Amino acid sequence: MIILEEHAVIAMRDTILNSEEPITLVPIGPLTNIGLLFSLFPETKKNIKQIVLMGGAAVGGNATPVAEFNIFVDPHAAKIVFDQDVPIVMCGLDVTRETMINKDDLNIIQTQGDFGNIIIDMLSSYNDVNAGEEHEHIIHDLCTIFYLLYPEMFTTQRADVSVITEGQAAGCTYTEFSDEGKVEVCMHAQNEQFREKFVDFIKAIHQNQ
């Protein structure tokens, strides 16, 4: 466990401002700390290349019928983030529900030594109730990293995204598609390629142990 001597927001500020290259932020949970970062230290935006986040959805939700969990937990912070003039890529439920691995993949992963067994144990507590019979596990958070590594795997559309903060629709990422939109919304992923890359990653770690 890493224990920071200062608040995470201060650590982010210092890292971003001291970096010689623009920083890409990859949040995979609620956006509380990034909302605080922009509210307290707006000067950090000048050295942020983009934000690639797991959260939101153009259609539907999983915390409520219209809200995805990460946005629902702190919609006010999410609104602060989406309202900034910073490039954002939204990897929401529209695309994460298409990034699944199945039983055949799990069987291969089980053969990959200690690391493979660690992944199997993790996935056993990560089973998604939205997965169908054929595909056993939806890997939501990994979409962000795979978007950065393999952008050709994803189909995106530009949109303006507004976050609703109050009422029964709180946490909804209201998505208006437009060629002039400032948010890149991931809408589809090539599942076969995702599965292949995921298994190859596990194999590579095992071989290097």
Side-chain angles (χ1 to χ4, degrees):
M1 177 184 297
I2 298 175
I3 300 177
L4 296 176
E5 296 180 358
E6 54 193 2
H7 194 282
V9 174
I10 303 299
M12 282 197 296
R13 178 202 64 182
D14 294 344
T15 299
I16 292 168
L17 293 180
N18 292 328
S19 174
E20 296 181 358
E21 298 181 358
I23 293 287
T24 293
L25 299 178
V26 188
I28 57 173
L31 296 171
T32 304
N33 280 344
I34 298 179
L36 282 170
L37 177 73
F38 290 152
S39 297
L40 296 172
F41 309 111
E43 65 273 17
T44 56
K45 291 186 292 183
K46 67 184 180 183
N47 207 29
I48 292 177
K49 179 180 179 180
Q50 62 180 338
I51 300 172
V52 180
L53 64 90
M54 191 276 118
V59 180
N62 59 358
T64 74
V66 297
E68 182 274 331
F69 177 81
N70 287 344
I71 307 300
F72 177 76
V73 167
D74 194 345
H76 293 87
K79 177 174 174 56
I80 291 172
V81 173
F82 276 96
D83 285 351
Q84 302 302 312
D85 187 21
V86 174
I88 294 176
V89 178
M90 184 172 86
C91 299
L93 297 177
D94 316 282
V95 69
T96 66
R97 285 172 171 163
E98 296 184 356
T99 53
M100 299 174 282
I101 60 172
N102 64 26
K103 291 179 180 178
D104 292 338
D105 305 317
L106 293 175
N107 289 337
I108 296 173
I109 292 169
Q110 280 185 315
T111 68
Q112 303 303 305
D114 291 341
F115 184 68
N117 289 326
I118 290 172
I119 297 299
I120 293 295
D121 289 343
M122 290 174 60
L123 291 175
S124 68
S125 62
Y126 193 58
N127 193 32
D128 196 299
V129 296
N130 295 307
E133 182 178 349
E134 179 182 358
H135 297 100
E136 295 300 317
H137 295 276
I138 298 176
I139 318 262
H140 296 278
D141 297 340
L142 191 57
C143 272
T144 54
I145 301 302
F146 271 29
Y147 174 84
L148 289 168
L149 293 175
Y150 315 110
E152 69 281 359
M153 189 186 302
F154 298 87
T155 300
T156 66
Q157 289 182 252
R158 296 206 68 83
D160 287 314
V161 178
S162 304
V163 180
I164 299 174
T165 59
E166 306 293 341
Q168 292 184 337
C172 174
T173 43
Y174 183 72
T175 305
E176 298 180 277
F177 293 103
S178 166
D179 290 341
E180 289 75 41
K182 67 177 186 179
V183 178
E184 198 77 37
V185 180
C186 292
M187 295 301 297
H188 297 289
Q190 298 177 27
N191 181 245
E192 291 300 319
Q193 188 176 357
F194 178 90
R195 291 174 52 213
E196 178 183 340
K197 295 292 187 184
F198 183 78
V199 173
D200 286 348
F201 171 75
I202 305 299
K203 288 181 177 179
I205 296 293
H206 172 59
Q207 291 169 0
N208 291 323
Q209 284 183 322

